[in-house]
Amino acid sequence: MSNHSPVRFAMIGGFLGAGKTTLLGQIASRYAAQGKRVGLITNDQAADLVDTAHLRSLGFTVGEVSGACFCCSFDHLIETADSLGGQNVPDLLLAEPVGSCTDLVATVVLPMQQQLGERFRVSPFGVLLKPSHGQRILAADEGKRSGFSPQAEYIFRKQLEEADYLMIGRSDQLSSEQIQLLRERLSIAAPGVPVLAISPRTGEGVDQVIEMIQSDTLPGGRLLDIDYDVYADGEAELGWVNLAATLDLESEIDPDEMVQELLRRMAAVIATSAGNPGETGPPEIAHLKASVRGDDVQAVANVVDSSGGVDVGLLAGRPVGGSIQLLVNARVAMDPSELENIIRQQVDAWVTTHAARCENLHANALRPGRPTPTHRVTVKG
């Protein structure tokens, strides 16, 4: 990219389950409708991402940085950004960091701006907020229990603190009074940070997000004072499982029903399981996603907290047969090996019930290790 003008790079952060992937799809679609090229970069601690498959199914060019967060895989992030350019330099690169990651201004935004400013024009850093997370965690300032551990709350609050602008998601499901209450609470948690009310699902407010991305406002205005011990403990609370399998069907199935059925069953078993040692109540689901793809169509659904139902992200719209690909991504506050067992058992049960055959199933179960950033800028250039 060095022979071209700097490529605009925009990162959209936010806690697990906030709706970042849906928002990126909305932004990319609007750029594409104007004849502009967009490259998208997803991020995870392991490969086989539902988000990557989802965005590719929408026709976008997507690169994946797996194995560590952007901050700990900075060089891989830059290599991926370069690979999406090729001879046709994109008008915009959109990047979605791991939902449990923070301190991104010091470890990604400012290093890109200061070291690679001739190659990338970094946009203000936006953080998307799921209203139920905000209502629960920010209300804890008023003496109420959030249901999250102090370490998880710490990560969530640090994400808000470092944002150049904040977005209240799912605005189509909120009253004006609820939005105003969240604005008031955010003004305390992140003083002086602009707040947009948007709906990634309907597209409401997305044009305002694009205005922020295209603005000349310098990014990285807020460097964090952060305790990496607390941060590491918060990430390590979550068991992470990414499962991928090829299923051979004896007869056609409805992928929309399949993906929702699997998630309902997995969430129900998780609700009766033990969480991390010392915790009471069922394990907290940070994110549980599944994708079924076959015959050039895809179904995507997710569960984004322990008290919620299944949200549909993408409908296949018709039955499929033959061979299908299943992806499951789970982030739950429990032992990752136990979480993997639950997911495998529910996949096996579905296969048995539907007389299918399971081929090439593999899973990666882990707890994230301590973040070790490639760069960490502590002074604004």
Side-chain angles (χ1 to χ4, degrees):
M1 294 184 188
S2 58
N3 295 327
H4 304 274
S5 299
V7 176
R8 186 173 287 279
F9 175 92
M11 191 163 55
I12 302 291
F15 205 65
L16 295 155
K20 300 185 294 297
T21 303
T22 304
L23 176 57
L24 263 63
Q26 283 276 7
I27 295 169
S29 295
R30 298 191 186 205
Y31 268 77
Q34 299 174 17
K36 297 180 178 180
R37 294 190 69 253
V38 181
L40 298 105
I41 306 174
T42 57
N43 182 210
D44 197 57
Q45 302 282 355
D48 299 318
L49 274 184
V50 171
D51 290 345
T52 302
H54 183 179
L55 292 168
R56 284 176 178 161
S57 75
L58 299 177
F60 300 121
T61 302
V62 186
E64 184 176 286
V65 175
S66 60
C69 50
F70 284 154
C71 61
C72 302
S73 294
F74 184 85
D75 294 340
H76 189 188
L77 169 62
I78 301 307
E79 290 169 3
T80 304
D82 286 339
S83 71
L84 293 177
Q87 298 302 311
N88 299 309
V89 178
D91 298 286
L92 174 67
L93 285 171
L94 281 170
E96 176 187 347
V98 174
S100 59
C101 193
T102 188
D103 201 31
L104 288 161
V105 167
T107 60
V108 178
V109 173
L110 292 181
M112 285 189 74
Q113 186 182 36
Q114 295 178 11
Q115 300 177 27
L116 302 167
E118 76 286 353
R119 294 164 60 188
F120 300 100
R121 183 179 182 185
V122 185
S123 291
F125 175 44
V127 171
L128 180 63
L129 167 79
K130 185 184 176 188
S132 62
H133 289 162
Q135 289 161 345
R136 292 164 62 188
I137 294 176
L138 298 180
D141 289 333
E142 302 163 11
K144 302 175 183 178
R145 292 182 58 83
S146 73
F148 290 91
S149 71
Q151 292 84 358
E153 284 190 16
Y154 182 82
I155 293 174
F156 178 87
R157 290 175 179 274
K158 288 299 179 182
Q159 289 179 342
L160 303 182
E161 286 179 26
E162 68 172 339
D164 292 312
Y165 65 99
L166 293 166
M167 295 161 282
I168 299 171
R170 302 183 183 226
S171 62
D172 58 309
Q173 301 174 18
L174 302 174
S175 67
S176 57
E177 291 77 14
Q178 289 173 315
I179 292 174
Q180 180 57 34
L181 178 58
L182 276 170
R183 287 184 181 276
E184 291 172 359
R185 286 175 172 165
L186 287 171
S187 70
I188 297 171
V193 179
V195 178
L196 309 177
I198 71 168
S199 171
R201 184 177 67 87
T202 67
E204 175 187 347
V206 173
D207 286 340
Q208 292 177 277
V209 178
I210 291 175
E211 288 177 6
M212 295 298 296
I213 288 173
Q214 295 177 332
S215 75
D216 293 326
T217 303
L218 287 176
R222 294 170 173 83
L223 280 167
L224 292 180
D225 178 10
I226 186 166
D227 185 328
Y228 261 72
D229 290 332
V230 178
Y231 175 16
D233 288 346
E235 281 212 300
E237 286 182 1
L238 295 176
W240 295 54
V241 174
N242 284 8
L243 177 144
T246 300
L247 308 181
D248 293 327
L249 305 173
E250 291 291 334
S251 58
E252 288 189 334
I253 57 98
D254 184 332
D256 299 322
E257 291 182 0
M258 175 186 174
V259 73
Q260 294 176 61
E261 176 188 349
L262 278 171
L263 289 183
R264 280 194 293 268
R265 289 183 175 184
M266 291 173 187
V269 177
I270 289 170
T272 65
S273 303
N276 290 320
E279 294 183 0
T280 59
E284 184 70 29
I285 295 175
H287 214 150
L288 181 60
K289 296 184 180 182
S291 160
V292 173
R293 179 168 52 87
D295 291 348
D296 296 323
V297 296
Q298 185 177 17
V300 177
N302 57 86
V303 175
V304 293
D305 61 53
S306 298
S307 59
V310 177
D311 289 341
V312 176
L314 183 67
L315 290 172
R318 63 175 174 84
V320 299
S323 179
I324 60 174
Q325 281 68 51
L326 170 68
L327 295 177
V328 179
N329 299 161
R331 317 286 180 256
V332 183
M334 64 184 297
D335 180 82
S337 61
E338 292 299 323
L339 180 59
E340 180 184 347
N341 287 337
I342 291 171
I343 294 171
R344 283 180 176 269
Q345 288 167 5
Q346 294 310 309
V347 172
D348 289 343
W350 188 94
V351 167
T352 300
T353 301
H354 294 82
R357 295 187 306 277
C358 183
E359 306 286 347
N360 303 320
L361 185 149
H362 62 273
N364 191 345
L366 57 91
R367 287 191 189 273
R370 182 184 179 87
T372 307
T374 308
H375 307 283
R376 188 164 192 271
V377 175
T378 57
V379 178
K380 299 172 190 175

